[in-house]
């Protein structure tokens, strides 16, 4: 099913939000405001937004280390996300998660894992939970081409398939695991081929085309929601920047011509132009949308910058929900 | 009270808690056919998931389910298999609450049985609980009696945090008194199994029977031994142990795990730091040496702490 015009406008807004958010993160890291390593989603926006917009508010998302775009695409407020990257107390994870772990339960983003492939079993579990609890929720897992070589990928697809769990596996295939070309370290060209081994339907889509991603993922979500089981959608996309910002790679591993060729298909420009050409938006309306996104990102940066760092004592909280020995008796028998 | 086996106590905990709380699901290899996990009520079958042999996958599935409204009990079958699921247990289950700033909790129970002293060799005989004592975010329990295993398993199933339960296979068919009525054994609370005044003997898991027997023998020689089972290793009930050592001034710890980095090592360190002045003699650890568990009974049986080792350690405290 195609996205409604209204939804397509919202998709463009979220694509702008991710792009501007990521550009701001890059700048703030260079300014020394964002500690640690950051893995940006620039280039992946159409994949992330197209997939996320095919979900409902109550559906679950589990992602990976390239995490910033996932909650934004699911509709999260930007200030707590940016504050998290600044390591501030107002961060969505109180400064305990950071760049690789921007989970936001408010919008159903249950977890983002810094361990490649580790989110896949979690997504299967969220699907199991929906099934056992008798809800019609769907669980969507974002993972990269690299994760498809992990045992957890294969175990997860098998588990989801044997019980027809409502899970949608969305591969953000950007063709490189850090610096390793997928063509050299993965036995198949298309990750989608791996679904066949688990009796699971799969589809390959142009990951730079938000509409195409939306339609494929929507189809998988509908299938999952009616109890027909999991699917895999492989989105061919490209990371415009480095694996992590500021990474010094002494030996070039991507052909500059290849990088330029992909940049010609910038998902932001492609979608903006398509909506204008299709008469969904005028040029000035598109500009307004971009400005709106830029303003929200600016506000998020101001919020993050003005927020306090967490109290050092905060390092010792949230380890357990029930931290005290013998706490059980205090709760009594429910 | 009725006398039941340790194994039956586990089954009763499963069955009673699944009836009490419909968010509990059982996940593990072979469970729906082989033992049925003790579930005799067919209405509960829809919540039992016999899995493929995919420890990391099904443990992670349990974590994902725990994050989204279920309370899974994941049976790893044999404790040596936990290594296959280390990523999901250590990186995900134990850390997800913290790393999301408390946005989600992981109410999950991992069960792992330790099959040592039964000629199962190096891939089935580990006692790996000390590894998990060094994992913040996990609660670690090692029950030693039918009463304790039922009560601790029930507490674990009601707990909002991840709990890993190590069961000693040699205890499965040991009998013990268990109340008919609902009860829990609170996590983090030790049990003094025998009162004494001269020596504190901390005993973990299956070493309890030999420890109590050693205490009995020593009593005949005029030495009064207090036997403490921590029951939970993380969080450790240090108050009970330190209080006892402050009274007796002598400590031996019996731990079937490998010697280095054992629970015995940690308890010894805590006691040395906190009540050093009470100690009349150096702390004694009675453990399994740092070797890989061999197959032949002629090689294996000598390795684990036994009654005579425990008595020898107690004698060294005088």
């Amino acid at each position: 099913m195609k996205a409604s015009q209204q939804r397509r406008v919202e998709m463009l807004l979220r694509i702008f939000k991710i792009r501007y958010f990521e550009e701001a993160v890059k700048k703030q890291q260079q300014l020394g405001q964002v500690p640690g390593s950051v893995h940006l989603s620039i280039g992946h926006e159409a994949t992330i937004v197209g997939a996320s917009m095919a979900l409902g508010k109550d559906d679950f998302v589990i992602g990976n280390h390239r995490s910033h775009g996932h909650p934004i695409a699911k509709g999260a407020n930007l200030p707590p996300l940016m504050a998290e990257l600044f390591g501030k107390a107002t961060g969505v994870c109180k400064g305990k998660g950071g760049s690789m772990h921007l989970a936001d339960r408010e919008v159903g983003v249950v977890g983002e894992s810094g361990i490649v492939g580790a989110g896949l079993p979690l997504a299967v579990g969220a699907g199991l939970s929906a099934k056992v609890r008798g809800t019609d929720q769907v669980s969507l897992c974002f993972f990269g081409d690299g994760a498809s070589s992990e045992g957890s990928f294969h175990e997860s697809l098998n588990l989801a398939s044997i019980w027809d769990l409502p899970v949608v596996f969305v591969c953000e295939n950007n063709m490189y695991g850090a610096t390793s070309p997928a063509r050299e370290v993965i036995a198949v060209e298309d990750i989608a081929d791996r679904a066949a081994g688990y009796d699971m339907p799969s589809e390959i889509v142009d990951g730079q085309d938000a509409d195409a991603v939306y339609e494929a993922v929507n189809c998988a979500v509908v299938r999952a929601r009616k109890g027909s089981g999991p699917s895999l959608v492989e989105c061919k996309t490209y990371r415009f920047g480095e694996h992590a910002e500021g990474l010094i790679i002494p030996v070039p591993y991507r052909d500059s011509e290849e990088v330029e060729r992909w940049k010609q298909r910038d998902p932001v420009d492609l979608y903006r132009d398509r909506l204008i050409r299709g008469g969904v938006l005028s040029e000035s309306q598109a500009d307004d949308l971009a400005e709106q996104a830029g303003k929200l990102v600016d506000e998020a940066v101001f919020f993050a910058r003005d927020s306090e760092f967490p109290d050092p004592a905060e390092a010792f909280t949230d380890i357990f929900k029930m931290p005290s020995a013998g706490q059980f008796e205090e709760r009594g028998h429910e | 009270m009725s006398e039941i086996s340790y194994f039956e106590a586990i089954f009763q905990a499963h069955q009673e808690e699944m009836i009490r709380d419909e968010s509990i699901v059982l996940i593990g290899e072979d469970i729906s056919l082989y033992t049925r996990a003790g579930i005799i009520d067919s209405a509960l079958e829809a919540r039992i998931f016999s899995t493929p042999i995919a420890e990391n996958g099904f443990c992670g599935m349990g974590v994902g389910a725990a994050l989204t409204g279920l309370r899974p009990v994941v049976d790893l079958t044999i404790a040596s298999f936990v290594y296959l699921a280390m990523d999901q247990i250590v990186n995900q289950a134990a850390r997800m609450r913290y790393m999301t700033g408390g946005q989600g909790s992981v109410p999950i129970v991992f069960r792992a049985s330790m099959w040592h002293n039964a000629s199962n060799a190096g891939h089935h005989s580990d006692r790996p609980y000390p590894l998990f004592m060094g994992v913040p975010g996990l609660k670690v329990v090692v029950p030693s009696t039918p009463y304790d295993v039922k009560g601790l398993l029930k507490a674990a199933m009601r707990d909002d945090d991840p709990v890993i339960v190590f069961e000693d296979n040699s205890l499965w068919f040991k009998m013990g008194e268990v109340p008919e009525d609902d009860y829990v054994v609170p996590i983090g609370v030790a049990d003094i199994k025998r009162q004494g005044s001269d020596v504190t003997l901390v005993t973990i898991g299956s070493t309890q029977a030999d420890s109590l027997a050693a205490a009995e023998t020593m009593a005949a020689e005029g030495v009064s031994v207090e036997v403490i089972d921590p029951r939970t290793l993380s969080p450790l009930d240090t108050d009970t142990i330190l209080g006892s050592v402050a009274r007796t001034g002598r400590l031996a710890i019996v731990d079937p795990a490998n010697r280095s980095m054992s629970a015995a090592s940690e308890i010894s360190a805590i006691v040395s730091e906190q009540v050093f002045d009470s100690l009349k003699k150096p702390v004694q650890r009675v453990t399994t040496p740092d070797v890989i568990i061999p197959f032949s009974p002629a090689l294996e049986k000598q390795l684990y702490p036994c009654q005579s080792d425990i008595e020898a350690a107690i004698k060294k405290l005088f």
Side-chain angles (χ1 to χ4, degrees):
Chain A
M1 198 181 72
K2 290 187 187 307
S4 68
Q5 305 301 53
Q6 193 189 350
R7 188 169 295 228
R8 294 173 84 202
V9 172
E10 180 63 28
M11 278 162 64
L12 180 60
L13 175 64
R14 292 186 191 187
I15 286 172
F16 280 136
K17 279 191 197 175
I18 296 176
R19 174 61 57 90
Y20 297 154
F21 185 92
E22 297 293 58
E23 287 174 349
V25 171
K26 184 173 179 171
K27 184 175 161 199
Q28 295 300 323
Q29 193 203 31
Q30 285 163 356
L31 292 172
Q33 298 290 318
V34 171
S37 58
V38 291
H39 303 74
L40 302 182
S41 300
I42 292 177
H44 289 225
E45 294 92 340
T47 290
I48 301 169
V49 171
S52 300
M53 290 293 287
L55 295 171
K57 190 174 182 302
D58 294 334
D59 292 326
F60 301 116
V61 167
I62 283 115
N64 59 7
H65 59 285
R66 201 168 298 288
S67 75
H68 308 177
H70 303 144
I72 299 174
K74 194 84 182 356
N77 284 327
L78 303 186
L81 300 181
M82 189 64 83
E84 182 65 27
L85 300 182
F86 277 59
K88 298 297 182 73
T90 53
V92 66
C93 304
K94 301 186 196 167
K96 294 174 184 177
S99 170
M100 289 185 269
H101 314 283
L102 277 190
D104 188 348
R105 298 289 303 240
E106 284 285 311
V107 292
V109 181
V110 174
E112 300 275 347
S113 177
I115 306 295
V116 169
L120 290 143
L122 301 183
V124 175
L128 180 83
S129 172
K131 184 167 178 149
V132 170
R133 290 180 298 107
T135 72
D136 70 349
Q137 288 163 297
V138 170
S139 169
L140 184 149
C141 187
F142 285 111
F143 64 99
D145 43 286
S148 79
S149 297
E150 289 278 8
S152 59
F153 168 86
H154 298 273
E155 294 182 17
S156 295
L157 265 65
N158 188 49
L159 284 162
S161 183
I162 57 174
W163 294 316
D164 288 333
L165 299 180
V167 186
V168 179
F169 297 97
V170 177
C171 182
E172 299 177 51
N173 182 353
N174 65 18
M175 300 163 51
Y176 292 87
T179 62
S180 298
R183 64 181 180 275
E184 289 179 16
V185 296
I186 299 178
V188 289
E189 188 179 335
D190 298 319
I191 307 305
D193 287 352
R194 295 188 153 169
Y198 305 100
D199 194 25
M200 188 184 298
S202 64
E203 193 173 341
I204 298 170
V205 291
D206 175 3
Q208 307 309 87
D209 180 342
D211 287 329
V213 174
Y214 175 87
E215 283 161 34
V217 173
N218 186 58
C219 193
V221 168
V222 168
R223 182 172 185 273
R225 220 185 284 289
K226 69 177 187 208
S228 303
S231 313
L232 189 154
V233 179
E234 178 183 1
C235 306
K236 304 281 193 187
T237 186
Y238 204 76
R239 154 165 65 68
F240 287 2
E242 267 314 329
H243 166 67
E245 283 311 298
L247 212 60
I248 311 285
I249 312 278
V251 184
Y253 63 95
R254 299 195 300 194
D255 193 50
S256 58
E257 191 207 333
E258 176 188 288
V259 178
E260 283 315 306
R261 195 169 66 244
W262 276 92
K263 284 187 175 172
Q264 293 305 308
R265 302 197 64 242
D266 185 315
V268 179
D269 298 339
L270 284 179
Y271 205 55
R272 180 184 180 278
D273 294 349
R274 180 184 292 166
L275 294 197
I276 292 169
R277 267 203 328 274
V280 180
L281 282 172
S282 69
E283 202 148 321
S284 73
Q285 282 171 318
D287 291 344
D288 288 349
L289 215 56
E291 198 184 315
Q292 188 189 335
K295 223 170 130 191
L296 288 169
V297 169
D298 287 345
E299 283 167 14
V301 172
F302 293 142
F303 175 81
R305 202 189 52 199
D306 295 344
S307 291
E308 300 290 331
F309 280 108
D311 187 287
E314 187 62 48
F316 302 93
T317 69
D318 296 323
I319 298 171
F320 292 114
K321 188 168 180 195
M322 296 167 59
S324 314
Q327 183 163 353
F328 223 109
E329 285 182 325
E330 292 166 29
R331 286 174 82 219
H333 299 170
E334 292 156 341
Chain B
M1 299 284 256
S2 59
E3 186 158 272
I4 61 169
S5 70
Y6 189 98
F7 209 43
E8 178 62 21
I10 294 167
F11 284 2
Q12 286 186 3
H14 281 160
Q15 169 100 359
E16 289 171 21
E17 291 300 300
M18 281 187 85
I19 290 169
R20 198 187 62 80
D21 184 344
E22 61 181 28
S23 66
I24 293 174
V25 293
L26 302 185
I27 295 167
E29 292 158 7
D30 299 310
I31 57 170
S32 68
L33 290 172
Y34 183 47
T35 64
R36 295 171 60 84
I39 301 302
I40 34 183
D41 185 340
S42 60
L44 303 175
E45 272 176 26
R47 286 191 271 137
I48 302 177
F49 295 89
S50 258
T51 66
I53 303 166
E55 288 81 2
N56 197 48
F58 69 69
C59 283
M61 182 180 76
V63 176
L67 280 162
T68 53
L70 297 185
R71 290 180 169 272
V73 178
V74 180
D75 184 357
L76 275 149
T77 319
I78 291 174
S80 296
F81 304 166
V82 298
Y83 306 129
L84 288 149
M86 284 303 263
D87 178 50
Q88 288 298 332
I89 297 172
V90 177
N91 275 322
Q92 308 301 329
R95 296 180 190 182
M96 193 55 92
R97 177 175 172 77
Y98 188 84
M99 292 179 72
T100 59
Q103 292 183 75
S105 293
V106 187
I108 192 168
V109 180
F110 298 106
R111 282 181 53 216
S113 66
M114 303 180 288
W115 284 45
H116 60 297
N117 213 359
S119 284
N120 287 309
H123 286 168
H124 282 66
S125 305
D126 278 6
R127 292 85 52 228
Y129 46 82
L131 280 178
F132 296 92
M133 294 172 69
V135 177
L138 268 187
K139 296 174 182 175
V140 183
V141 304
V142 189
S144 62
T145 66
Y147 175 89
D148 287 345
V149 77
K150 184 174 178 183
L152 280 164
L153 201 48
K154 279 173 158 263
M157 289 160 90
R158 296 179 196 184
D159 203 283
D160 292 334
D161 298 309
V163 182
I164 184 162
V165 182
F166 286 95
E167 298 154 17
D168 198 306
N169 171 251
S170 67
L171 296 172
W172 273 0
F173 303 103
K174 293 276 194 288
M175 304 296 282
E177 296 268 301
V178 169
E180 309 278 353
D181 294 338
D182 184 43
Y183 72 99
V184 293
V185 170
I187 288 170
V189 179
D191 188 31
I192 299 176
K193 299 290 182 186
R194 178 192 172 107
Q195 306 266 352
S197 54
D198 299 327
V199 171
T200 301
L201 185 64
V202 173
T203 166
I204 293 160
S206 60
T207 58
Q208 193 184 120
D210 277 356
S211 296
L212 287 167
E216 197 63 38
T217 307
M218 296 309 295
E221 295 182 24
V223 176
S224 168
V225 179
E226 180 148 291
V227 180
I228 296 174
D229 180 355
R231 301 192 293 193
T232 301
L233 294 176
S234 185
L236 189 66
D237 180 355
T238 51
D239 287 353
T240 297
I241 296 168
L242 294 171
S244 176
V245 175
R247 278 186 283 109
T248 62
R250 297 179 176 91
L251 173 65
I253 309 151
V254 192
D255 180 354
N258 287 355
R259 189 171 187 80
S260 296
M261 306 296 176
S262 56
S265 302
E266 182 63 18
I267 293 167
S268 170
I270 292 168
V271 166
S272 303
E273 274 175 352
Q274 302 202 27
V275 290
F276 185 76
D277 292 343
S278 306
L279 292 172
K280 293 166 185 158
K281 288 279 181 176
V283 176
Q284 296 297 310
R285 289 179 293 161
V286 186
T287 58
T288 299
D290 293 332
V291 298
I292 295 149
I293 299 302
F295 166 68
S296 170
L299 300 173
E300 184 186 14
K301 295 221 176 283
Q302 62 177 329
L303 297 174
Y304 308 110
C306 64
Q307 187 180 339
S308 59
D309 297 335
I310 299 167
E311 288 170 18
I314 293 170
K315 286 173 183 163
K316 280 196 190 171
L317 293 167
F318 291 91

